[in-house]
Amino acid sequence: MYSLERPVRGQSSSPKDRLGRKRRTVVSSLTEDEELTEILKSYSSNKVTTTKYSFLSFIPKNLFEQLHRVANIYFIFLAALNFVPVVNAFQPEISIIPILLVLTVTAVKDLWEDYRRHKSDKFINGLFCEIYSRKQQTYVDQRWQDVHVGDFVRLSCNEIIPADMLLLYSSDPHGVCYIETANLDGETNLKQRQVVRDLPQQGSELTPENFHSRIECESPNNDLSRFRGYMEYPSKARVGLHNDNLLLRSCTIRNTETVIGIVVYAGHETKAMKNNSGPRYKRSKLERRLNVDVLWSVVLLVIMCLTAAIGHGLWLRNLKEASFLIPDTTSPALSGFYLFWTMIIVLQVLIPISLYVSIEIVKLCQIFFIQNDVDFYNEYMDSRIQCRALNITEDLGQIQYVFSDKTGTLTENKMVFRRCTIAGVEYPHEENARRLEVYEEDEAMGCSHTLKSRASAKSLSCKSLSCNRSSVSLHTLTGHSEGEEPPSPTLPQQSAFSSPLEKDIVPDPFLVQKLNSLSSPLFLLKDASMELTYIVDFFMALAICNTVVVSSPNQPRHVQVPEVSCTPLKSLEDIKMLFQRFGLPRFSTLSPPHTTESPRSFTRRLFSRGKAHGSWKGEENKMLHLTLGACSGLGNSNGAQGPPGEPGADELIYEAESPDEAALVHAARAYRCTLQGRSLESLLVELPGMGSLAVRLLHILPFDSTRKRMSVVVRHPLTNQVVVYTKGADSVIMDLAESPKGAEQSDGRQGHIREQTQKHLDNYAREGLRTLCVAKKVQTSTEYEIWLKRHAFAETSIENREELLLESAQRLETNLTLLGATGIVDRLQEEVPETIEALQRAGVKVWVLTGDKQETAINIACACKLLRSTDQLLTANCGSKVSVILLFKIICPSSKCVPRGEAAEGTSGFTLVVDGRTLDFALQEDLKGDFLELSRRCRAVVCCRSTPLQKSHVVKLVRDQLRVMTLAIGDGANDVSMIQVADVGIGISGQEGMQAVMSSDFAISRFKHLRKLLLVHGHWCYTRLANMILYFFYKNVMYVNLLFWYQFFCGFSGSVMTNSWVLIFFNLLFTSAPPLLYGILDKDVSADTLIKLPELYKSGQNSKAYLPSTFWLTMLDALYQSLVCFFIPYFANAGSDADMLTFGSPINASALLTILLHQVIESCTLTWLHVLVLVGSALFYFSFTLVFSVVCVTCSPPTNPLGVDKLQMSQPLFYGVCALTTVLALLPRFLFHALRNSISPSDTLKAALMDQLNPENYCRRMQRWNQTQAQSKARGLVINVEDLDFKIPDFILPKEL
Amino acid sequence: MMAPSYNAKEEDGHQPGATGHGGAGTMTNKKPDNTAFKQQRLPAWQPILTAGTVLPAFFVIGLIFIPIGVGLFVTSNNIKEFEIDYTGVDMSSPCYNCSQSYSWNNTQSCTCSVHFSLDQPFESNVFMYYGLSNFYQNHRRYVKSRDDSQLNGDKTSLQSPSKECEPYRSSDKPIAPCGAIANSLFNDTLELYYIDPNGSRTAIPLVKKGIAWWTDKHVKFRNPSGNNNLTVVFQGTSKPVNWRKPVFELDPLDSDNNGFINEDFIVWMRTAALPTFRKLYCIIQKKPNNMTPTLPRGEYILEVTYNYPVRSFDGRKRMILSTISWMGGKNPFLGIAYITVGSVCFCLGLVLLSIHYRYGKRNNSAEISS
């Protein structure tokens, strides 16, 4: 906790002492005080170095880091072992080649990455900004890296802030400045920052020389939303500093001409840099599997070495004086022991040394391809997919559970006002609904030739596909489908909230009539109704109860400064009159009609009615009159339907922190209740029939998730009363709108409204709308005074500010009068149902975790085909633990009759809907087993009303208990924990900032991209990597065994029949490139087919490509091949005069050919790149050995290759042996593939076969496939339904037991 | 149906609709390039191995391998080879006595004569080998125990041989040639006599030159330069422990065949791959313009100067006479292996054919069962 203890200067405070504490002192860098200058110097400068290494430290530091890896240590150990004379196998320098090569490749990779960071650092450090210089008495251009704490920096509009600084001056008369934090969190809306309060020089431009205040603030931290401290003026007066005063590094100044600030944090101590954590490292499932097999390799290695060691010991013991033995006193046992280590060096290749490096390289390339996929490009946002985690690409191919957020993930998070209820009367906005539908159709029309088809069942049928298969391929079209309008080059960001869909709301005619009565000349006060007050208040609240920033596009990012002198519709006379009448007795419904009264005064009285409610019944009649009367005036004024008002009003752009706010402001505008401008202290609102009014803004109590509401406190322009407008979640507002006990009279009225509104709210939720309630409260001036005092205290307090402000807000938001509620529609993103269906066909279970209401959640789940009409819905809303237990006890045994296999397949027709409270119980230790059992039997699970914490708990539970691969996808801050917990976290870069993206492994822009990401890239990455790893193991075992077999013929002495360079390079150079390419480019099935046949994804889920059995089968094959490769040359040379290297030459060559051709058999595609690399590898080997055998005269003892290979390659026998060996070695695998593919082909293979057909046949085949799939699914379903019929009738538990 | 086919549909596509990329920097467009490589649509050959597609390969392999195998087999059978073991393990063996008294430093040489007869005449050049069994010339420490630069004529190595040569590095003076391989040089002398039907012995001329590889003789092994008199060159070095003669007196008959370039020595220094091996001893050249075979049918005597001890480790010594062909010495294995593999492939081809008819049809008729 930040302490406020006052530091006494001169006592206790050496600079170090101060640094040690959790705070920092900042003064102007122009200070003369030596000690303070010292302190300032102790803070880090603004120079950023994100590089890990410097020029000098690179080699030692990089080495040090690399040596931390276990694999590297192993190889260094081996290299070191080779220097021990009794055990060395090769020349010492040869055995350090592998480790050197691996270290070098890694170092080069690190160096390249570091160089890129260095370049970007240099660019950033070299940017210019204006710093005050004492010498020149003015601001001079300096590089960013020369900015220090305590410097005064002047910035102009659109400049980027170089360091965290305290705002001291703004050219804005109100001392306000706007910043855009897009660089920081991706939010493009403007945020308001304020000059430090009570600055002496306020108004005039700040003169740094005169700045003698001292700033005490927190030590650097990474909390972007919190900043605390105080400034002490020379007069010892203190003022608190808050986040509002801080300009953050890398944000952009907008709408403000000049800004001056003093730097408090610089360089790496800025909040932006503190938040900058590099890429994430996770360990993938495949890698864990791989590590197991590496251990097996170690076991194998030890066994082989032990065999050799024992063999050598026995052989030595049986040998008496032999002329070829070097006289030695070592006992056979000891020799055996030495030999063990020699063999470990000789056979070290068995542990795939370059595998880890290769995997890293392959994954980088896979990521390159994912990032370059044109299908993931979102033209509208000009963004591609971002891969933030570099090493879990193959996990994408093994996902079994997908946990999805709803808002912004499944839906657009583009909120559109759909309907509302005011004062208990529902306005259905039929026109608006129709418009939304038309719009959707328009959009669908625009891309009807894509896969997008509303009927998802048919969408995958061949008919819709045939066209794009033959003519246009998939990727060309999907890019257009989300384009609501082409991105305008000048305003790419502003368009975020201003698509016509959100702006042009068609008002409800009935409501318009009512509102029109305000401005219509026919308006009579007697028609004035209680309801109208509500309506006007309602829209007033919609227009002003928000933090929307208004700007216009021709002056980008310039706030419309409210002009109070804006031409009102009524003359000044009217206004005067209005204020004169202010003193009139309160309006009462019983009072005689004042026909002479101007509409304006009527309005005033409307607003003044606060809590004086009349009888509802009486007014209804009057309302009818009003409707009839206003009918004539409706035609012309309503015809335009667009936002009315002055010209230019159309060009207003609203930028809101949340899309809901923007939607509501647009809605209000449709009813001519237009928010025209906003400043710190006032709002400019145009009301129908009243023109522009300046509303004095007293307070904004911003939204927070504990209160779930926000309020504005304004001085009403007409009544001059203090009015509180609150909007928030229905549950909260409904509770707060409880009338006080005293006001029985109004209770009936309010009660009625509440009752009606609740009914409507329920309806909205069922329709899948997001609901918000709007309420108001009129404060008497005394009440307000009291509250104001305490609020001011809270605002100025330095300690506990947040808590006090919260408390203060809660004190104000009581006794609210419910005005009405809105229903906002959040449209589904395109292709969401198709994507979900594809995922389910792929065997992925989709769970939706949302904070929304149950009805809304179910509705959305239906809309996106997560729920089918045939599904049985299990709804669990339990209030107590007992009921949860009961629920599980009832459901679980009964559903056990569903065969396990089928349930696991997800074909059962259950869908579980759980609410937050039930979830809480279900997640408890004793119940989670039952919960999982139940949910596993369900096809889909929807968790509604769940908190972020619950979301992550659910993911964690499923991940840990079921041991499955999980993927979480979300877009908002509330999904962050879930994204982090899941094996793969995906962020959607959408409307709600970048927090989800920042914590994710992959960031996409649309939900539909998930389909290709998983089904195509996931599948590819997984199969490629799995195959590559298997191949690496195969290759090593195959080659190393050749050396092992030789031991049986050389007295287990650790001899090798190959030149040691060739031996070392065999794995590192001659055979390493093809598997890399294989891992990067191999493609078993085409992308088109993978998308159309999601079932193919299952092979990855079940880890089919890399099962333990596959591993051992590959090992066996490697064993066989090595036997062939060794013994055919052996028998061909037995008893002859062949020397060791002559004997090894055909073995090596045939092993190389076998290994390369094995690759060809295993790979599914061969492109010119493959051919190039394969042929290149072979040529490289042969030319290397050939050149080596000519050039190397005395080198590389004792395996000097001079003349060997030259001679060998000139002899026909060499080729005869190689051909026979290669053919015989590959025969079984070749045959096995052919037989398996013919007799029982896998799905993947069938699909690959399909790929080779011509489009027509392809289409026919595809259709048939989908039919058989559907049939098998239907069969499964029928069985389940029969089971269900007598076991569980439609099962919905009562809310409370 | 031939599975490997170019996928026409996957051709490179620069889409006309793909605007933006290349539009010189008016706005930063992040749209990825729509190229075949980046979109992973490179034209590819997709080899799918099914019975139908691999069928031809099996038949082709069969049809190629069987003739090759027959050719190899016939060639190998035409090679004449004669082998005789003269170790003297049995009491009856003429070399039994010699084999009993083994010692490297025996000044008294022991000779023995082994009689044998050739059933068939040997034509053209005949190669005479000595063969050793159970002799691990490929033992790691044995193989290492040499100094290539010394053998290449390097003077410094001559004076201070490599450490690898230990314990045959120096006695009191540095040993040349150093190391265990050189030390264990095969030192039996073999002479061949033809016994005419009339009983007289004719010595058969054995050519000791041309038995080493050209590269070894001319590049790898070189006497230290500076003086033509090898005695001077090798001054200051001592002979290997087991040798009876210094290295510069290995061939008393031919002065050019002495020192490190002695061909017997070179042949020995090329360590054999397997514990049972033969090494070329000499060549019996065919008689010029004479129709009589190089070695006619009849009785022969092999005169052995028995020096080389092998009995201590159960070794065997053999003398081998062999003609050679283009494929080297006699070895029926390769021919048989080729024929076997060829016929197996052919049979598998037939099996695959039947499988292809049973299952291939089903696949083609697009009946996909899940």
Side-chain angles (χ1 to χ4, degrees), chain B residues 107-121:
Chain B
T107 43
Q108 198 87 37
S109 61
C110 175
T111 52
C112 54
S113 313
V114 184
H115 290 257
F116 66 91
S117 61
L118 293 179
D119 302 336
Q120 287 174 309

Side-chain angles (χ1 to χ4, degrees), chain A residues 540 578-579 687 693-696 714-720:
Chain A
M540 184 84 166
L578 173 92
F579 283 103
L687 289 179
L693 297 173
V695 183
R696 253 192 80 202
V714 294
R715 175 124 359 229
H716 200 281
L718 300 170
T719 60
N720 220 21

